[in-house]
């Protein structure tokens, strides 16, 4: 990236509940010996079903409750490992004749769920997914979760309901979301004469941020291939940051997918001399094309735009 200053500076659920129990007694005339049919859940298969689903439900609960991407990563790992164990345990348990088809469907669905959790986790670790809602939504919308729900429904209809529950996950947000080029994501630090003109030569959108003391002061949304400007910047010294990606979450103030965070190493001064400082910044994907030194950041080290 390159930039130049006019002052001469430059730098470029399913659960389904519960048990079936039947009890019948004789009537009419004389005492009849009572008879009872064991509940499906009390059978070895029913017990194995609940034991298999319990840890998966716990893992999915952690996915829903994750407060940051690190917690989401660990929760997805829990889902992946617990579904793998469940598949092994269910395959090793004899299924009653009426439950064979449902058991097969459930094993296949759990295998897919493990694959889905692994794929989402890889995207979280690779920063292809950068927001909790999208990570949860992608797992919830996957074929694994859909298949588990359908298989448990089939088992319930066959008389083998699960007492353990599998919680549903929130729906995937509508995507991709964008802002109009030049939208001020954060409109602060005004009252001065400084200007920043940003050119985005990436193939994805970017948000450029001025920060002071580690906190964002002003940020502008710059669409791919477009230019945007922040004006009226107060005199002072600022750090420059930008983030790129796809699908802008206005509540989280970040891109939810393919996110990247960059900081310019040098601070940049704004003074009223000559009518105010103008910094022109060009951001692009190829290293070595500009005269600004930059360093990679992450969502925790970069200030929120």
């Amino acid at each position: 990236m390159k930039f130049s200053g006019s002052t001469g500076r430059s730098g470029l659920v399913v659960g389904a509940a519960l048990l079936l129990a039947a009890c019948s007694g004789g009537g009419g005339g004389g005492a009849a010996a009572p008879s009872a049919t064991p509940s499906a859940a009390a059978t070895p298969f029913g017990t194995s079903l609940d034991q298999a689903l319990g840890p998966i439900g716990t893992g999915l609960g952690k996915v829903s409750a994750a407060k940051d991407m690190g917690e989401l990563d660990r929760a997805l790992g829990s889902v992946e490992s617990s579904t793998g164990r469940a598949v092994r345990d269910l395959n090793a348990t004899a299924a009653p004749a009426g439950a064979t088809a449902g058991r097969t469907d459930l094993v296949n669905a759990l295998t897919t769920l493990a694959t889905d959790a692994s794929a989402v986790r890889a995207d979280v670790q690779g920063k292809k997914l950068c927001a909790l809602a999208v990570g949860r939504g992608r797992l919830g919308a996957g074929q694994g979760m859909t298949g588990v729900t359908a298989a448990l429904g089939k088992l319930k209809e066959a008389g083998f309901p699960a007492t353990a529950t599998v919680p549903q996950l929130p729906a995937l947000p509508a995507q991709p979301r964008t802002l109009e080029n030049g939208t001020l994501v954060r409109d602060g630090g005004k009252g001065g004469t400084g200007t920043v003109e940003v050119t985005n030569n990436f193939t994805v959108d970017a948000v450029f941020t001025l920060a002071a003391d580690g906190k964002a002061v002003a940020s502008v949304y710059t669409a791919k291939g477009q230019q945007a400007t922040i004006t009226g910047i107060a005199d002072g010294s600022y750090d420059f940051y930008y983030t790129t990606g796809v699908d802008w979450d206005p509540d989280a103030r970040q891109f939810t997918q393919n996110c990247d965070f960059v900081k310019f190493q040098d601070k940049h001064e704004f003074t009223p001399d000559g009518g105010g400082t103008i910094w022109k910044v060009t951001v692009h994907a190829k290293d070595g094309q500009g005269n600004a030194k930059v360093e990679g950041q992450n969502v925790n080290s970069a200030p929120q735009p």
Side-chain angles (χ1 to χ4, degrees):
M1 50 236 49
K2 61 184 178 181
F3 51 86
S4 62
S6 64
T7 56
R9 288 155 295 190
S10 64
L12 226 331
V13 211
V14 219
L18 211 49
L19 335 159
L20 284 181
C23 182
S24 61
S35 62
T37 300
S39 68
T43 65
F45 174 73
T47 299
S48 295
L49 181 62
D50 290 331
Q51 289 177 343
L53 293 176
I56 298 172
T58 299
L60 290 171
K62 291 179 179 179
V63 169
S64 293
K67 294 181 176 61
D68 56 45
M69 299 306 287
E71 288 188 8
L72 179 61
D73 179 22
R74 293 188 290 273
L76 289 166
S78 175
V79 172
E80 183 181 0
S81 60
S82 61
T83 49
R85 288 193 300 270
V87 167
R88 292 191 296 272
D89 292 346
L90 289 172
N91 278 330
T93 303
T100 301
R103 192 270 300 273
T104 298
D105 287 356
L106 181 59
V107 166
N108 290 339
L110 289 173
T111 300
T112 302
L113 179 57
T115 300
D116 291 347
S118 177
V120 175
R121 190 182 188 195
D123 283 349
V124 168
Q125 293 175 343
K127 296 196 297 185
K128 292 182 179 180
L129 290 180
C130 318
L132 293 169
V134 175
R136 294 181 185 122
R138 185 169 292 185
L139 183 64
Q143 292 183 354
M145 286 292 292
T146 303
V148 169
T149 300
L152 290 177
K154 180 181 285 189
L155 285 168
K156 181 179 180 181
E157 290 177 359
F160 296 91
T163 60
T165 61
V166 176
Q168 292 181 336
L169 295 174
L172 188 67
Q175 298 177 52
R177 294 161 290 181
T178 64
L179 296 176
E180 290 188 10
N181 182 62
T183 299
L184 290 174
V185 175
R186 187 180 297 275
D187 189 8
K190 296 304 183 69
T193 57
T195 299
V196 173
E197 298 175 358
V198 183
T199 301
N200 178 7
N201 284 344
F202 281 101
T203 58
V204 293
D205 294 353
V207 172
F208 181 85
T209 297
L210 279 75
D213 299 324
K215 295 183 179 180
V217 174
S219 303
V220 64
Y221 193 96
T222 312
K224 59 184 178 181
Q226 301 293 314
Q227 295 179 333
T229 303
I230 305 174
T231 60
I233 300 169
D235 298 342
S237 179
Y238 298 88
D239 289 309
F240 286 178
Y241 294 82
Y242 68 85
T243 178
T244 57
V246 177
D247 183 43
W248 179 257
D249 184 335
D251 296 322
R253 290 177 177 263
Q254 71 177 86
F255 292 105
T256 69
Q257 298 170 57
N258 300 329
C259 56
D260 197 15
F261 303 87
V262 173
K263 177 186 179 183
F264 291 73
Q265 290 184 357
D266 296 331
K267 288 185 177 294
H268 303 86
E269 302 290 336
F270 289 82
T271 69
D273 298 343
T277 305
I278 300 175
W279 285 101
K280 295 184 178 182
V281 181
T282 301
V283 295
H284 45 73
K286 295 182 179 180
D287 293 332
Q289 289 190 352
N291 53 1
K293 295 181 179 180
V294 298
E295 57 189 32
Q297 302 281 289
N298 59 50
V299 68
N300 296 317
S301 60
Q304 185 182 52

